[in-house]
Every structure is written in C-alpha cells, then in structure tokens.
Amino acid sequence: MPASARSATRADAVTPGLTDLIARLPGDPDLIQPLVALVLAIFLYATAWGLARLVAPRLRRRLPPLGDALAGHVRAITRHGLAAGLLLLGLIFFPEGSLGHLVMGIVLGGAVALLATHLLRGLAIPRWAVVPLALILFILIVSGSGGGIAPVGEMLDRVGVTLGKRRITLLGLLSIAATCVALFAAVRLANQIIGRSIQKASGFDPTQKLLAQKLAAITVIVAAFFIGVDLLSIDLTAFAVFSGALGLAIGFGLQKTIGNLIAGIILLMDRSIKPGDVIVVGDSFGWVNKIGVRAVSVLTRDGKEHLIPNENLMTQEVENWSYSDRNVRVRIPVGIAFDSDLPLAQKLMLQAAQESPRVLANPKPNVWLTAFGESRVEHDILVWISDPEGGVGNVKSDVLGRVWQLFRDHGVTIPYPQRVIHRAPETDQP
C-alpha cells in the first residue's frame, strides 16, 4: 500500500475515533467540538512556546549567519513556525467542514501570519508591506479551512477592469504584490546570510570580502528577477517592440550609474583603494569608510562624510597615504633667531619630536636646516607616524608646543619679522 494511502487511512481512523469521543461528552457536540479544538490549539501553541525556548538558542549557535540576519526575531520565528507545524498536524483530528476544523484553521492562520510578520520585519521590510501580506496569508488559510480557497479566488478574480485586450483583476494585483514582497525578503535574507558568511571567511582580506559581497548581491538580484518573471508568467516577448528604445533610453540615463558601478568593482579588484585607506582627493582628506555601488564614502577629521563618485577616483589624481605602507612623514617648519645657539636649538627640536607620543622611533625623527631667511634660520622637523587616519594637524600642534616650552626653558628665541624703514632726506621747498 502506498504511503499516502496509509496516511489517509490513519487520518480517517483517527477522526471518527475523536468524533465518537466528543459525542460521548455531555452537552451539544456542535459546541463541544470547537471548544475541544480551541483547547487543543492552545495546548499545541504552549508546547511550541516551550520548545522555542530550547531550540532558538541552539539554532542561533548552529546557524550564526541566519541568527545575525534576523537579529532579535529568531525566537519568535521559531515559536510561530513550530506552532504552525503542530497546528497543521492537529487539523487531521477534525473532519473538514466542521467547526473544530475551522477553529484550528483560524489559529493556524494566525500562527502563519505572525511567522511571516516576524520573518519580514527581521529583514527590515517596511510595515506597510508586511501587514497586507500577513493578512492575505491569514485569509487564505482560514478560507481553506472553512470551505476551500477556490471561492475566495473566484471572488477576487471577478473584481477587476479591462484595459485593451488585458484584464487586470484584484487577484492578479494581490499575487504580484505578494510575489514582489516575498522576493524582496528573499533577496534581503540571502544578501545578509551571504554577506555575514563572507565576512567570517578567513581566506580573504577585507577588499576581497567586499568585492565578493558586491558580486554576490548582483547575482542574487538577477536571479530574483528571473524567478519573479517565471512566477508571474510575464511574457517578455510582448515588450520586444519598445524594449530596444527603452533599453537605449535607460542606457543613456544610467550610463553614469553603470560607469560608477564598474569603476567601484575595478577599484576593489586592483585594490588601489581599500576601506580604511587614508586618501586625498582634491580638497577632501580622510579615510575610506565604505566603497558603495555609486560612490566612495570618505570620513574626514571634522566628522563630515564626503561621497566621491567612483569614476572620479579612476580619472583624477588620488593620494593614497596607506597604499603600500601606512607610515607617513610629517614636515614641521620651525624658525630661530640668527644669534641663537644653533646646535642646542636643533637638539631641542629633536627632543620635542622624540617625546611626542604619536611619533615613531623607527624611522627616527630628524631635523634639517633648510634656509637662511630674512629674519630667522629656517628648519624642518621631519617625523614619521603610522596612523594617518588620526590626522596630522594634532601631531604638528603637539611637537610645536613641546618646542615652544623647551625653547623658553633654554633661552632660544623665535624672532619677529624685522623691517627697516629709511627716512628720505629733507629737501628745500621751492
């Protein structure tokens, strides 16, 4: 005997047994049966609640990408998912069309609707899109338990308008909306799971991980598009007449966007600019916070975030202070009076540089005499730092503050600019 036939036989055997048991209870069977169904539904939900407290933490440990993607909704999703499974099994104890079957169907519909709500909200789907989808699922399950989905589908299919040779019905619009929301949620879930899995992979550096995430996201979106076309039975050949013109218009309108997308992928592939690099582009100085599809986010020391199009980084000159080496040399000009003790002043400048906390000991700082100015002897203090993202202005300020204090303690003077004014000789007036 086939397995399906054996299952049907067991269900038929269980249902009359339960019906006979309910019939032996005192009172009206039409009232006792839905009451028993409600008590059973509450018991099954309580069982699912208890199981979820045990299963959810283990599920998060065994599937960390899934747990991270759904944030704090894992326990609720597990609870309502287990409840939906148990309630689905509970339906076989009540004959179709009975009040007990309807009560179990209502509770099952609520469990499925709550499951969909928590699942979609965990993926940051807007509430305005979640609530209608959950309501549709609830109505479909309840109508299936109370007499079949077909009458509801026929009613929704009768409501519509005819535009030309095509008829747009409420059933079709609901199907399109539900499919779009489901695909959008699937794309979000797939991107988050794949992204977190790539982030935890140990064989890639940060740039390769970011590139893999971008390529995976594009692949998931393309796959979802074709799956949606297949599910909605959209005939793409019907759009062949204007698809060429539309594609040409989109090509001209989105050429900058496509160019920025390709430029971003190239930047990640050749690794010339990576997240965390300190770069200078025009007047923008800061470290790369994120490389997006359209632009690179550069965070400045002022807390401002500059969004620079990817194409600009491909076509303009860019200073990358941490491309091959994070060590950066900082030049600090200092001038002293001509009558100062030159070796002592240079020793004090070197001491000030060595005592600064961000200055590296290797390469060691140095002091160069660069020129004899109009009113002072020009020097450059050359120091190296390894954290350019922390800025260079504060390093200069710290070193100059130490130089100023040491000069005052040892009598080394920093001269004021000197100007000599010659008075013209007086002449007799005519």
Side-chain angles (χ1 to χ4, degrees), residues 216-266:
I218 294 173
T219 303
V220 170
I221 291 174
V222 172
F225 172 77
F226 286 107
I227 291 174
V229 169
D230 183 65
L231 290 176
L232 296 175
S233 302
I234 298 176
D235 187 8
L236 295 180
T237 58
F239 301 97
V241 177
F242 74 5
S243 60
L246 180 62
L248 185 63
I250 293 176
F252 278 112
L254 298 180
Q255 58 179 343
K256 284 291 185 182
T257 302
I258 300 300
N260 284 321
L261 173 62
I262 295 174
I265 293 175
I266 293 174

Side-chain angles (χ1 to χ4, degrees), residues 389-413:
E389 67 274 5
V392 295
N394 48 9
V395 177
K396 292 182 179 180
S397 175
D398 182 72
V399 173
L400 288 175
R402 296 174 185 273
V403 167
W404 172 261
Q405 188 62 45
L406 290 172
F407 278 4
R408 292 190 63 181
D409 293 343
H410 293 81
V412 179
T413 59

Side-chain angles (χ1 to χ4, degrees), residues 276-278 321-328 385-389:
D277 282 352
V278 180
W321 289 14
S322 53
Y323 177 60
S324 57
D325 189 0
R326 293 189 62 81
N327 291 349
V328 175
I385 61 174
S386 60
D387 51 350
E389 67 274 5

Side-chain angles (χ1 to χ4, degrees), residues 47-344:
T47 303
W49 194 290
L51 290 175
R53 294 178 65 88
L54 300 175
V55 174
R58 298 181 181 181
L59 187 63
R60 291 203 63 170
R61 288 195 298 268
R62 291 181 177 273
L63 299 174
L66 181 63
D68 294 340
L70 296 175
H73 295 265
V74 175
R75 178 171 292 182
I77 292 173
T78 306
R79 179 194 312 138
H80 297 301
L82 290 174
L86 293 176
L87 290 168
L88 188 61
L89 294 176
L91 282 175
I92 66 175
F93 292 101
F94 300 92
E96 294 186 9
S98 64
L99 289 177
H101 196 276
L102 178 60
V103 170
M104 293 293 291
I106 293 174
V107 181
L108 175 62
V112 173
L114 290 173
L115 173 63
T117 300
H118 283 283
L119 182 62
L120 296 176
R121 291 298 295 165
L123 298 173
I125 306 298
R127 192 179 299 274
W128 59 264
V130 173
V131 174
L133 181 61
L135 185 60
I136 291 173
L137 291 174
F138 177 77
I139 293 174
L140 290 177
I141 293 175
V142 172
S143 62
S145 301
I149 301 175
V152 178
E154 293 175 357
M155 180 189 69
L156 295 175
D157 193 51
R158 286 195 297 268
V159 180
V161 295
T162 303
L163 299 177
K165 296 182 179 180
R166 298 186 63 86
R167 177 172 173 78
I168 301 176
T169 64
L170 184 58
L171 178 63
L173 293 177
L174 291 177
S175 300
I176 293 174
T179 303
C180 291
V181 173
L183 286 175
F184 183 66
V187 168
R188 292 290 296 269
L189 180 61
N191 283 337
Q192 292 189 26
I193 293 176
I194 293 173
R196 283 172 170 79
S197 300
I198 293 174
Q199 282 294 333
K200 294 181 179 180
S202 58
F204 300 101
D205 59 25
T207 305
Q208 291 172 335
K209 290 179 180 179
L210 186 57
L211 177 59
Q213 287 177 348
K214 300 296 182 186
L215 295 178
I218 294 173
T219 303
V220 170
I221 291 174
V222 172
F225 172 77
F226 286 107
I227 291 174
V229 169
D230 183 65
L231 290 176
L232 296 175
S233 302
I234 298 176
D235 187 8
L236 295 180
T237 58
F239 301 97
V241 177
F242 74 5
S243 60
L246 180 62
L248 185 63
I250 293 176
F252 278 112
L254 298 180
Q255 58 179 343
K256 284 291 185 182
T257 302
I258 300 300
N260 284 321
L261 173 62
I262 295 174
I265 293 175
I266 293 174
L267 289 174
L268 291 172
M269 290 180 64
D270 68 3
R271 303 174 63 187
S272 57
I273 296 177
K274 307 177 293 296
D277 282 352
V278 180
I279 64 173
V280 179
V281 184
D283 297 332
S284 299
F285 163 78
W287 59 93
V288 178
N289 183 36
K290 184 179 68 173
I291 299 179
V293 175
R294 187 189 67 85
V296 172
S297 169
V298 178
L299 193 61
T300 68
R301 289 286 298 167
D302 298 329
K304 299 176 182 178
E305 199 159 0
H306 293 184
L307 300 178
I308 303 175
N310 294 332
E311 276 192 328
N312 291 2
L313 300 178
M314 295 287 295
T315 57
Q316 295 183 10
E317 182 178 346
V318 180
E319 293 183 19
N320 191 337
W321 289 14
S322 53
Y323 177 60
S324 57
D325 189 0
R326 293 189 62 81
N327 291 349
V328 175
R329 191 172 73 170
V330 181
R331 173 179 170 271
I332 306 173
V334 176
I336 61 174
F338 279 99
D339 57 354
S340 299
D341 187 344
L342 196 61
L344 176 60

